[in-house]
PDB file of all heavy atoms in Angstrom:
ATOM      1  N   SER A 203      19.561   0.610  10.910  1.00  0.00           N
ATOM      2  CA  SER A 203      20.843   1.301  10.680  1.00  0.00           C
ATOM      3  C   SER A 203      20.612   2.815  10.806  1.00  0.00           C
ATOM      4  O   SER A 203      20.083   3.449   9.891  1.00  0.00           O
ATOM      5  CB  SER A 203      21.358   0.926   9.290  1.00  0.00           C
ATOM      6  OG  SER A 203      22.704   1.283   9.225  1.00  0.00           O
ATOM      7  N   LYS A 205      22.384   5.363  10.585  1.00  0.00           N
ATOM      8  CA  LYS A 205      22.952   6.302   9.623  1.00  0.00           C
ATOM      9  C   LYS A 205      21.963   6.632   8.519  1.00  0.00           C
ATOM     10  O   LYS A 205      22.028   7.701   7.921  1.00  0.00           O
ATOM     11  CB  LYS A 205      24.262   5.771   9.067  1.00  0.00           C
ATOM     12  CG  LYS A 205      24.134   4.505   8.232  1.00  0.00           C
ATOM     13  CD  LYS A 205      25.436   4.133   7.590  1.00  0.00           C
ATOM     14  CE  LYS A 205      26.302   3.266   8.466  1.00  0.00           C
ATOM     15  NZ  LYS A 205      25.700   1.958   8.839  1.00  0.00           N
ATOM     16  N   ASP A 224      21.692  -0.246  14.731  1.00  0.00           N
ATOM     17  CA  ASP A 224      23.068  -0.426  14.278  1.00  0.00           C
ATOM     18  C   ASP A 224      23.655   0.987  14.246  1.00  0.00           C
ATOM     19  O   ASP A 224      23.134   1.859  13.542  1.00  0.00           O
ATOM     20  CB  ASP A 224      23.057  -1.052  12.892  1.00  0.00           C
ATOM     21  CG  ASP A 224      24.303  -0.725  12.064  1.00  0.00           C
ATOM     22  OD1 ASP A 224      25.409  -0.879  12.602  1.00  0.00           O
ATOM     23  OD2 ASP A 224      24.155  -0.306  10.895  1.00  0.00           O
ATOM     24  N   ILE A 307      29.054   2.586  -2.984  1.00  0.00           N
ATOM     25  CA  ILE A 307      28.367   2.047  -1.773  1.00  0.00           C
ATOM     26  C   ILE A 307      28.496   0.551  -1.689  1.00  0.00           C
ATOM     27  O   ILE A 307      27.701  -0.136  -1.054  1.00  0.00           O
ATOM     28  CB  ILE A 307      26.864   2.512  -1.693  1.00  0.00           C
ATOM     29  CG1 ILE A 307      26.140   2.236  -3.004  1.00  0.00           C
ATOM     30  CG2 ILE A 307      26.773   3.959  -1.323  1.00  0.00           C
ATOM     31  CD1 ILE A 307      24.645   2.617  -2.938  1.00  0.00           C
ATOM     32  N   HIS A 344      28.496  -7.202   6.036  1.00  0.00           N
ATOM     33  CA  HIS A 344      27.623  -6.222   5.329  1.00  0.00           C
ATOM     34  C   HIS A 344      28.308  -5.949   3.992  1.00  0.00           C
ATOM     35  O   HIS A 344      29.404  -5.435   3.951  1.00  0.00           O
ATOM     36  CB  HIS A 344      27.469  -4.932   6.158  1.00  0.00           C
ATOM     37  CG  HIS A 344      26.746  -3.863   5.407  1.00  0.00           C
ATOM     38  ND1 HIS A 344      25.379  -3.859   5.269  1.00  0.00           N
ATOM     39  CD2 HIS A 344      27.200  -2.777   4.723  1.00  0.00           C
ATOM     40  CE1 HIS A 344      25.018  -2.806   4.538  1.00  0.00           C
ATOM     41  NE2 HIS A 344      26.109  -2.134   4.204  1.00  0.00           N
ATOM     42  N   SER A 347      25.158  -1.529  -0.176  1.00  0.00           N
ATOM     43  CA  SER A 347      23.829  -0.941   0.000  1.00  0.00           C
ATOM     44  C   SER A 347      23.127  -0.882  -1.347  1.00  0.00           C
ATOM     45  O   SER A 347      23.773  -0.907  -2.414  1.00  0.00           O
ATOM     46  CB  SER A 347      24.016   0.456   0.571  1.00  0.00           C
ATOM     47  OG  SER A 347      22.862   0.933   1.130  1.00  0.00           O
ATOM     48  N   GLY A 381      21.570  -3.593   3.508  1.00  0.00           N
ATOM     49  CA  GLY A 381      21.900  -3.528   2.085  1.00  0.00           C
ATOM     50  C   GLY A 381      20.757  -3.781   1.124  1.00  0.00           C
ATOM     51  O   GLY A 381      20.936  -3.702  -0.094  1.00  0.00           O
ATOM     52  N   GLU A 416      20.583  -5.565   9.799  1.00  0.00           N
ATOM     53  CA  GLU A 416      20.789  -4.119   9.995  1.00  0.00           C
ATOM     54  C   GLU A 416      20.234  -3.304   8.829  1.00  0.00           C
ATOM     55  O   GLU A 416      20.969  -2.581   8.177  1.00  0.00           O
ATOM     56  CB  GLU A 416      22.298  -3.832  10.107  1.00  0.00           C
ATOM     57  CG  GLU A 416      23.023  -4.581  11.184  1.00  0.00           C
ATOM     58  CD  GLU A 416      24.545  -4.395  11.092  1.00  0.00           C
ATOM     59  OE1 GLU A 416      25.035  -3.820  10.097  1.00  0.00           O
ATOM     60  OE2 GLU A 416      25.236  -4.823  12.030  1.00  0.00           O
ATOM     61  N   PRO A 417      18.953  -3.405   8.535  1.00  0.00           N
ATOM     62  CA  PRO A 417      18.443  -2.644   7.393  1.00  0.00           C
ATOM     63  C   PRO A 417      18.295  -1.161   7.703  1.00  0.00           C
ATOM     64  O   PRO A 417      17.991  -0.786   8.852  1.00  0.00           O
ATOM     65  CB  PRO A 417      17.048  -3.262   7.165  1.00  0.00           C
ATOM     66  CG  PRO A 417      16.627  -3.699   8.536  1.00  0.00           C
ATOM     67  CD  PRO A 417      17.880  -4.109   9.251  1.00  0.00           C
ATOM     68  N   GLY A 418      18.550  -0.335   6.730  1.00  0.00           N
ATOM     69  CA  GLY A 418      18.342   1.091   6.869  1.00  0.00           C
ATOM     70  C   GLY A 418      17.355   1.535   5.816  1.00  0.00           C
ATOM     71  O   GLY A 418      16.183   1.797   6.048  1.00  0.00           O
ATOM     72  N   ARG A 419      17.859   1.530   4.557  1.00  0.00           N
ATOM     73  CA  ARG A 419      17.081   2.009   3.434  1.00  0.00           C
ATOM     74  C   ARG A 419      15.710   1.312   3.287  1.00  0.00           C
ATOM     75  O   ARG A 419      14.718   1.956   3.013  1.00  0.00           O
ATOM     76  CB  ARG A 419      17.912   1.776   2.146  1.00  0.00           C
ATOM     77  CG  ARG A 419      17.347   2.454   0.936  1.00  0.00           C
ATOM     78  CD  ARG A 419      18.138   2.004  -0.315  1.00  0.00           C
ATOM     79  NE  ARG A 419      19.579   2.031  -0.106  1.00  0.00           N
ATOM     80  CZ  ARG A 419      20.375   3.031  -0.429  1.00  0.00           C
ATOM     81  NH1 ARG A 419      19.866   4.125  -0.935  1.00  0.00           N
ATOM     82  NH2 ARG A 419      21.669   2.934  -0.248  1.00  0.00           N
ATOM     83  N   ARG A 455      22.275  12.702  -2.320  1.00  0.00           N
ATOM     84  CA  ARG A 455      22.454  11.405  -3.001  1.00  0.00           C
ATOM     85  C   ARG A 455      22.732  11.562  -4.494  1.00  0.00           C
ATOM     86  O   ARG A 455      23.510  10.797  -5.080  1.00  0.00           O
ATOM     87  CB  ARG A 455      21.259  10.469  -2.770  1.00  0.00           C
ATOM     88  CG  ARG A 455      21.124  10.021  -1.333  1.00  0.00           C
ATOM     89  CD  ARG A 455      20.257   8.748  -1.220  1.00  0.00           C
ATOM     90  NE  ARG A 455      20.941   7.564  -1.683  1.00  0.00           N
ATOM     91  CZ  ARG A 455      20.647   6.902  -2.796  1.00  0.00           C
ATOM     92  NH1 ARG A 455      19.640   7.292  -3.530  1.00  0.00           N
ATOM     93  NH2 ARG A 455      21.333   5.842  -3.151  1.00  0.00           N
ATOM     94  N   TYR A 459      26.252  10.126  -5.689  1.00  0.00           N
ATOM     95  CA  TYR A 459      26.248   8.802  -6.313  1.00  0.00           C
ATOM     96  C   TYR A 459      25.526   8.780  -7.661  1.00  0.00           C
ATOM     97  O   TYR A 459      25.193   7.717  -8.147  1.00  0.00           O
ATOM     98  CB  TYR A 459      25.508   7.777  -5.416  1.00  0.00           C
ATOM     99  CG  TYR A 459      25.833   7.867  -3.945  1.00  0.00           C
ATOM    100  CD1 TYR A 459      24.871   8.279  -3.038  1.00  0.00           C
ATOM    101  CD2 TYR A 459      27.094   7.510  -3.465  1.00  0.00           C
ATOM    102  CE1 TYR A 459      25.153   8.337  -1.680  1.00  0.00           C
ATOM    103  CE2 TYR A 459      27.372   7.585  -2.101  1.00  0.00           C
ATOM    104  CZ  TYR A 459      26.392   7.989  -1.229  1.00  0.00           C
ATOM    105  OH  TYR A 459      26.670   8.055   0.114  1.00  0.00           O
ATOM    106  N   TYR A 515      19.185   8.250   3.973  1.00  0.00           N
ATOM    107  CA  TYR A 515      20.365   8.991   3.572  1.00  0.00           C
ATOM    108  C   TYR A 515      19.975  10.340   2.911  1.00  0.00           C
ATOM    109  O   TYR A 515      20.638  10.795   1.997  1.00  0.00           O
ATOM    110  CB  TYR A 515      21.255   8.162   2.638  1.00  0.00           C
ATOM    111  CG  TYR A 515      21.553   6.791   3.221  1.00  0.00           C
ATOM    112  CD1 TYR A 515      20.907   5.651   2.769  1.00  0.00           C
ATOM    113  CD2 TYR A 515      22.479   6.655   4.246  1.00  0.00           C
ATOM    114  CE1 TYR A 515      21.145   4.412   3.315  1.00  0.00           C
ATOM    115  CE2 TYR A 515      22.737   5.420   4.809  1.00  0.00           C
ATOM    116  CZ  TYR A 515      22.064   4.297   4.337  1.00  0.00           C
ATOM    117  OH  TYR A 515      22.329   3.076   4.895  1.00  0.00           O
TER     118      TYR A 515
HETATM  119  N1  LLP B  71      25.161  -2.048   8.301  1.00  0.00           N
HETATM  120  C1  LLP B  71      26.351  -1.501   8.010  1.00  0.00           C
HETATM  121  C2  LLP B  71      27.554  -2.003   8.672  1.00  0.00           C
HETATM  122  C3  LLP B  71      26.423  -0.468   7.060  1.00  0.00           C
HETATM  123  O1  LLP B  71      27.592   0.066   6.754  1.00  0.00           O
HETATM  124  C4  LLP B  71      25.228  -0.015   6.407  1.00  0.00           C
HETATM  125  C5  LLP B  71      25.266   1.079   5.451  1.00  0.00           C
HETATM  126  C6  LLP B  71      24.002  -0.609   6.788  1.00  0.00           C
HETATM  127  C7  LLP B  71      24.018  -1.637   7.747  1.00  0.00           C
HETATM  128  C8  LLP B  71      22.669  -0.195   6.218  1.00  0.00           C
HETATM  129  O2  LLP B  71      22.615  -0.390   4.861  1.00  0.00           O
HETATM  130  P1  LLP B  71      21.212  -0.231   4.077  1.00  0.00           P
HETATM  131  O3  LLP B  71      20.295  -1.321   4.568  1.00  0.00           O
HETATM  132  O4  LLP B  71      20.660   1.110   4.348  1.00  0.00           O
HETATM  133  O5  LLP B  71      21.572  -0.401   2.638  1.00  0.00           O
HETATM  134  N2  LLP B  71      24.800   6.905   1.748  1.00  0.00           N
HETATM  135  C9  LLP B  71      24.625   5.805   0.808  1.00  0.00           C
HETATM  136  C10 LLP B  71      24.487   4.490   1.523  1.00  0.00           C
HETATM  137  C11 LLP B  71      25.669   4.184   2.420  1.00  0.00           C
HETATM  138  C12 LLP B  71      25.487   2.924   3.185  1.00  0.00           C
HETATM  139  C13 LLP B  71      26.512   2.794   4.231  1.00  0.00           C
HETATM  140  N3  LLP B  71      26.349   1.638   5.059  1.00  0.00           N
HETATM  141  C14 LLP B  71      23.399   6.075  -0.058  1.00  0.00           C
HETATM  142  O6  LLP B  71      22.783   7.126   0.096  1.00  0.00           O
HETATM  143  O7  LLP B  71      23.086   5.256  -0.915  1.00  0.00           O
END
Side-chain angles (χ1 to χ4, degrees):
S203 195
K205 65 174 88 61
D224 154 50
I307 51 178
H344 173 78
S347 198
E416 303 172 351
R419 191 187 315 265
R455 292 200 73 250
Y459 317 112
Y515 309 103

